[in-house]
């Protein structure tokens, strides 16, 4: 089959994404991880996240800024 190369590439991308998530989950404080998931995966607004996480929108912005800074410092092998 001619599609096996694509499948292998997708499997490798999924593995990289999983490694990235496990790495981040092990490194992040719980509040930062929660806010990052609500923002980046669930696509909630800062106001919605503040309500769910029981914190201020300012705290949400600060935690997301910290999360983004962590992403920039990831080892090259974990970057997508």
């Amino acid at each position: 089959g001619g599609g096996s190369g694509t499948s292998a590439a997708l499997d490798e991308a999924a593995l990289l994404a999983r490694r990235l998530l496990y790495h981040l989950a092990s490194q992040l404080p719980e509040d930062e991880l929660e806010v990052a998931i609500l923002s980046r995966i669930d696509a909630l607004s800062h106001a919605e996240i503040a309500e769910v996480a029981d914190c201020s929108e300012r705290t949400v912005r600060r935690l997301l800024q910290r999360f983004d800074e962590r992403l920039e410092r990831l080892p090259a092998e974990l970057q997508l």
Side-chain angles (χ1 to χ4, degrees):
S4 63
T6 301
S7 178
L10 289 175
D11 288 346
E12 187 174 333
L15 181 62
L16 259 176
R18 181 171 295 177
R19 285 175 61 202
L20 173 63
L21 287 173
Y22 281 125
H23 177 78
L24 286 175
S26 70
Q27 301 290 317
L28 292 178
E30 190 174 332
D31 58 347
E32 192 175 325
L33 181 61
E34 178 186 25
V35 165
I37 289 171
L38 291 171
S39 173
R40 304 301 195 257
I41 296 175
D42 296 334
L44 297 185
S45 70
H46 290 178
E48 291 168 324
I49 294 168
E51 188 173 323
V52 170
D54 194 27
C55 65
S56 69
E57 286 185 56
R58 181 176 181 219
T59 297
V60 170
R61 287 191 299 274
R62 181 175 49 82
L63 291 171
L64 287 173
Q65 181 177 0
R66 231 189 260 166
F67 176 76
D68 289 338
E69 289 168 358
R70 272 183 217 275
L71 286 182
E72 292 173 7
R73 292 193 310 266
L74 278 177
E77 68 271 12
L78 288 172
Q79 291 183 3
L80 297 177

